[in-house]
Amino acid sequence: MSKTFGTHRAVRALSLEVPRGAVFGLLGPNGAGKTTTLRMVMNVLGPDSGAIEILGRPSDQGGRDRVGYMPEERGLYPRMAVEEQLVYLAELKGTPRAEAQRRVGPWLERLGLSDWRQRKLNELSKGMQQKAQFIATVLHEPDVLILDEPMSGLDPVGADLMRDILLDLSRQGRTLVLSSHQMETVERLCDAIALIDRGQKLLDGTVAEVKRRYGKNTVVLAYEGDGSFLTKVAGVERLSDFGQYVEVRLTADADPQVLLREAVARLRVSRFEIVEPSLRDIFVAQVTGHGQEAA
Amino acid sequence: MNGTHLRRLLRVARREYLERVRSKAFMVATVLGPLILGGMMIVPALAARKAAAPLRVSVLDADGMLLGPVERALGSLTEGGTPRFLLRPAPQAPFEQARHELREQVLRGDLDGFLYLPPGALAASQAEFHGRSVSAMMEMRLLERALAEAFMRVRLTREGLDPARLGALMRDVDVRTMRLSTEGAREDHGAGFLFSTVLLFAIYTSVFMWGQALMNSVIEEKANRVVEVMVSSVSPETLLGGKLLGVGAAGLTQLMAWAATVGLVGLYVGGSAVAGGARVPEVGGFVLVAFVAFFLLGFFLYGSFYAAVGAAVNSMQEAQNLILPLMLPVIMAMMFFPVVLRSPDSTLSVVLSLIPLMAPLIMFLRISVLMPPLWQVALSIALTLLAIAGVVWTAARIYRVGILMYGKRPTFPEIVRWVRQS
């Protein structure tokens, strides 16, 4: 599908397939078209061309009712009581009122909002509002969850809680689509990903597949001393400095042992490990490469 | 629209309605509105009663032959059973001295004024009233009438007419205004006129107050970003429809509360002097039905416009420029309102009452003043409904695009493009 705003082509002939029951990560840098894509899935925006299917049916009202959508721009009614609001939003998704009222209690309990159920939303902290927004997304027990940047705005405790809940929902057989530019989150949760940039798909597949395709010639190196010479070592394609350690990507034909010898000769090496590339590394490499092609 | 959409539209309407009627602003306006309106009706009534305290006057007649008839004429003027003038005898003293003494009494406040009939008053048809306050128009006109009558009596008696027959000959003509309707003629005390105007302004202010409320709610939904959650659940058309219905119902609730309170106050004050002697106006049931119907027509018509404007802008300030053109037909309608009030059957009135943007005001005014032919009412409603359908359709398109547009306020051509594209 495609979408153009004025002269800006936000999404260009993008084709995505999310396997049923998967935890799917939609990755991309800011402005890649992630939010626009999800909005088209939810019919918030109409695509200029292309078609959308949800659970094997054309995306119509009935199909969208089986989806829970948490937009990137969070928003609820500020002057409406939390519980009343959640029940209302579930009703708009087709859940009978009594059913929604029964379900809301356990969810509020689980996310620690029980004491706030009668309060107006704007009396809640940002983090609590975020949790309320999440309940609004799941209260109608959707088969598919689309969460735009689900972890943003959560503290580490909240993020862990969110991750547990997401894994739970996944185990119940629900399909999860997470959009993010936070690779660590996605790497730990997702089975499959798609990486998009400037409205186009750069790669997709299961996380294992993507990493395999990218090759097993990445080295994690931790050391003491001045490692600035490492980029000039033969066979080093790129180096990402994480502070405590560096991740070094080698060219396909390079021998990691060369790098090790050079490093030991000039640094105190505390860790040397040949690893699968992190999604972050793949992300950066792909997006940078794509940017250069486009430029 | 299938059952699912309708059910959700009603859900949205219910929320919008409850949010409004539960708000403090609504409670305050609903309670204060009738107090202010009631005040507007009761205060003049009380003021009129207070003013009804009779004026203490003396008559000083230089020639002496007018004194009797003038005093009798003044004494016979009553209002609600109480005399309007209390006559005090002038001091028994030489003429100039008596005049001086009367002036002193007026200045001391013992007397409200005195009537001075100079020599040759009858021939010259002249008299003077000396008082501290000569601005009470009502009293002056009564005084003039009484004097004219007294002078006439004296002249006619001099012409040889039997004083006993004069009473019958000079009887006042009692002109009563009759309101004609198919149910038969009824006496109208002029309050009907006033009441039509009050109802017209009630529709006018309510339509715009609630249209504005609807616009604010659209802008707020946009600003809170809750609108994206909403349109992922219901179509923008359903959301717009629900908001129109819910806010409209809240407006109607307030009008009903006002009507009930004003009605009760009216009953309490009773048939006595409401708004300066006028009775509580008789308002036909049809006028009340028309009042509700034309409020709703006006609200749906202008409310849709307001909602579209709200969707196109980011803040209230930005909305002002776009609202102004909307107000023009209404301002025109309000300019024409006295003309329509005077001649509700004229061609101009008929044409104005058929133009959808003015119909909710002008047709209602015509109905409340003089029931127009039924076909005109039906045509006016039909045309307005047609216009509402068109406006809602257009507004829904602007709404659909606008609610997700943040940033720069769109220009008018851009809005036109939205309508064509979506």
Side-chain angles (χ1 to χ4, degrees):
Chain A
M1 57 194 177
S2 300
K3 180 75 189 177
T4 302
F5 297 112
T7 55
H8 175 60
R9 291 160 69 198
V11 174
R12 314 178 197 187
L14 179 65
S15 172
L16 290 176
E17 196 163 329
V18 177
R20 196 180 286 219
V23 180
F24 185 86
L26 182 61
L27 312 179
N30 295 327
K34 301 186 296 288
T35 296
T36 302
T37 302
L38 298 181
R39 280 179 171 173
M40 285 194 279
V41 173
M42 290 317 289
N43 196 38
V44 172
L45 291 171
D48 295 337
S49 62
I52 292 149
E53 277 186 19
I54 297 173
L55 300 165
R57 331 177 1 187
S59 159
D60 57 6
Q61 184 79 57
R64 286 194 299 275
D65 282 353
R66 295 168 68 191
V67 181
Y69 173 54
M70 183 158 82
E72 185 187 17
E73 301 266 19
R74 314 286 196 249
L76 293 172
Y77 289 103
R79 283 190 301 277
M80 201 174 175
V82 173
E83 182 174 10
E84 189 189 353
Q85 171 145 228
L86 294 175
V87 169
Y88 169 66
L89 291 172
E91 276 185 283
L92 289 185
K93 282 287 194 182
T95 308
R97 188 174 179 75
E99 180 69 30
Q101 280 166 333
R102 202 169 54 244
R103 284 182 202 162
V104 74
W107 273 112
L108 290 168
E109 189 75 40
R110 187 165 181 189
L111 285 157
L113 293 178
S114 290
D115 295 342
W116 300 83
R117 61 204 303 167
Q118 306 295 345
R119 298 292 193 86
K120 286 179 183 168
L121 188 89
N122 58 9
E123 296 171 30
L124 271 59
S125 74
K126 272 273 177 290
M128 287 194 282
Q129 291 189 14
Q130 171 95 327
K131 288 174 181 171
Q133 187 98 44
F134 180 74
I135 300 176
T137 313
V138 295
L139 197 58
H140 62 289
E141 300 193 339
D143 298 318
V144 180
L145 277 159
I146 296 179
L147 308 170
D148 206 344
E149 299 288 356
M151 300 299 178
S152 76
L154 291 177
D155 61 21
V157 179
D160 280 357
L161 179 63
M162 178 68 79
R163 203 188 51 231
D164 288 349
I165 292 172
L166 291 181
L167 287 173
D168 247 19
L169 290 167
S170 173
R171 263 180 235 120
Q172 292 166 11
R174 299 180 210 281
T175 308
L176 269 59
V177 178
L178 315 177
S179 138
S180 187
H181 55 253
Q182 289 178 307
M183 296 305 127
E184 291 73 16
T185 314
V186 174
E187 183 147 22
R188 271 177 280 174
L189 274 170
C190 294
D191 320 319
I193 59 156
L195 177 60
I196 64 171
D197 185 32
R198 291 152 211 260
Q200 289 172 308
K201 185 165 69 182
L202 298 185
L203 55 84
D204 65 350
T206 65
V207 173
E209 248 171 46
V210 167
K211 287 187 174 180
R212 202 178 316 124
R213 222 181 299 152
Y214 201 64
K216 206 170 159 60
N217 50 357
T218 297
V219 171
V220 166
L221 187 64
Y223 58 84
E224 285 168 40
D226 179 10
S228 57
F229 67 93
L230 287 169
T231 47
K232 296 180 190 79
V233 174
V236 171
E237 192 178 282
R238 225 163 37 77
L239 183 144
S240 313
D241 194 343
F242 290 91
Q244 299 297 314
Y245 63 92
V246 294
E247 203 174 287
V248 184
R249 167 130 177 100
L250 302 172
T251 51
D253 53 351
D255 181 1
Q257 297 305 319
V258 175
L259 177 67
L260 178 61
R261 268 196 299 276
E262 291 280 341
V264 170
R266 298 166 71 169
L267 302 165
R268 277 191 67 82
V269 174
S270 55
R271 180 177 167 202
F272 181 87
E273 192 180 352
I274 299 172
V275 297
E276 283 188 327
S278 68
L279 274 183
R280 186 182 193 287
D281 204 39
I282 298 174
F283 178 98
V284 173
Q286 288 289 319
V287 170
T288 316
H290 184 235
Q292 279 158 358
E293 272 165 45
Chain B
M1 181 172 278
N2 62 33
T4 309
H5 283 110
L6 185 61
R7 207 163 38 246
R8 290 182 193 181
L9 187 143
L10 292 176
R11 276 274 148 242
V12 174
R14 180 174 172 273
R15 195 203 81 82
E16 294 289 332
Y17 177 77
L18 288 178
E19 178 170 297
R20 261 155 212 89
V21 299
R22 280 181 192 165
S23 77
K24 286 197 190 75
F26 182 87
M27 307 264 183
V28 170
T30 306
V31 172
L32 281 188
L35 280 183
I36 294 167
L37 257 176
M40 275 162 55
M41 292 172 81
I42 293 167
V43 170
L46 292 181
R49 268 183 202 168
K50 188 155 181 291
L55 291 176
R56 297 156 302 170
V57 294
S58 288
V59 180
L60 187 61
D61 182 11
D63 295 336
M65 60 196 160
L66 281 165
L67 184 65
V70 166
E71 281 192 339
R72 265 196 303 283
L74 286 177
S76 71
L77 288 172
T78 60
E79 178 158 324
T82 54
R84 297 295 297 122
F85 296 97
L86 280 181
L87 290 160
R88 298 278 169 81
Q92 296 297 321
F95 182 71
E96 276 306 322
Q97 196 187 328
R99 199 174 146 179
H100 180 75
E101 212 164 294
L102 283 172
R103 188 180 294 134
E104 289 298 307
Q105 284 183 22
V106 170
L107 290 177
R108 275 204 307 274
D110 294 342
L111 206 61
D112 291 308
F114 67 91
L115 198 58
Y116 171 52
L117 303 169
L122 186 65
S125 257
Q126 268 182 353
E128 290 170 16
F129 182 76
H130 298 254
R132 270 182 311 165
S133 159
V134 289
S135 56
M137 291 294 291
M138 253 333 228
E139 270 67 29
M140 286 307 117
R141 277 177 51 201
L142 281 174
L143 206 71
E144 274 173 26
R145 233 182 75 198
L147 278 176
E149 194 190 315
F151 279 39
M152 186 84 78
R153 265 174 201 277
V154 176
R155 288 186 192 128
L156 289 174
T157 315
R158 286 188 168 183
E159 293 295 320
L161 274 169
D162 178 6
R165 283 190 59 215
L166 278 178
L169 287 172
M170 291 182 61
R171 211 178 56 208
D172 265 351
V173 179
D174 182 11
V175 181
R176 286 186 295 175
T177 49
M178 306 298 281
R179 190 179 145 88
L180 290 176
S181 72
T182 42
E183 290 117 66
R186 289 243 186 100
E187 196 169 345
D188 191 319
H189 295 272
F193 224 56
L194 181 76
F195 206 66
S196 297
T197 313
V198 168
L199 289 182
L200 181 73
F201 275 88
I203 288 190
Y204 169 77
T205 43
S206 298
V207 162
F208 288 102
M209 218 172 68
W210 289 100
Q212 190 95 30
L214 179 61
M215 185 180 79
N216 293 353
S217 112
V218 173
I219 293 175
E220 263 179 44
E221 246 173 31
K222 230 180 123 168
N224 299 331
R225 316 279 163 153
V226 66
V227 71
E228 190 168 346
V229 175
M230 293 302 292
V231 294
S232 73
S233 303
V234 298
S235 69
E237 291 77 14
T238 306
L239 183 58
L240 174 64
K243 290 178 90 72
L244 270 171
L245 219 59
V247 176
L252 197 57
T253 304
Q254 187 165 68
L255 278 182
M256 289 298 166
W258 285 357
T261 319
V262 171
L264 285 176
V265 169
L267 276 183
Y268 177 73
V269 175
S272 71
V274 172
R279 297 255 149 67
V280 174
E282 307 159 16
V283 180
F286 190 79
V287 172
L288 283 184
V289 172
F291 179 69
V292 169
F294 282 97
F295 163 71
L296 289 178
L297 286 174
F299 174 77
F300 287 134
L301 187 61
Y302 282 95
S304 313
F305 272 125
Y306 269 104
V309 169
V313 302
N314 303 295
S315 66
M316 299 285 295
Q317 288 80 6
E318 285 183 6
Q320 297 313 320
N321 292 337
L322 286 171
I323 288 175
L324 202 64
L326 279 186
M327 300 292 295
L328 284 178
V330 186
I331 293 169
M332 260 172 75
M334 291 316 269
M335 268 161 46
F336 280 120
F337 122 79
V339 180
V340 177
L341 200 58
R342 223 176 303 132
S343 47
D345 258 352
S346 68
T347 313
L348 178 69
S349 300
V350 173
V351 169
L352 289 178
S353 68
L354 293 178
I355 298 174
L357 286 171
M358 301 193 205
L361 294 174
I362 301 291
M363 184 47 93
F364 171 72
L365 183 64
R366 287 187 59 201
I367 289 175
S368 72
V369 177
L370 176 72
M371 183 63 198
L374 217 53
W375 69 267
Q376 286 181 9
V377 179
L379 183 61
S380 169
I381 291 176
L383 287 176
T384 308
L385 284 175
L386 220 67
I388 289 173
V391 172
V392 169
W393 183 85
T394 312
R397 283 165 170 249
I398 296 175
Y399 192 78
R400 179 176 253 286
V401 181
I403 45 180
L404 293 166
M405 287 280 175
Y406 297 102
K408 188 175 89 59
R409 181 171 78 79
T411 60
F412 194 70
E414 275 174 318
I415 294 177
V416 172
R417 213 183 56 225
W418 293 357
V419 175
R420 284 222 300 270
Q421 274 178 358
S422 49

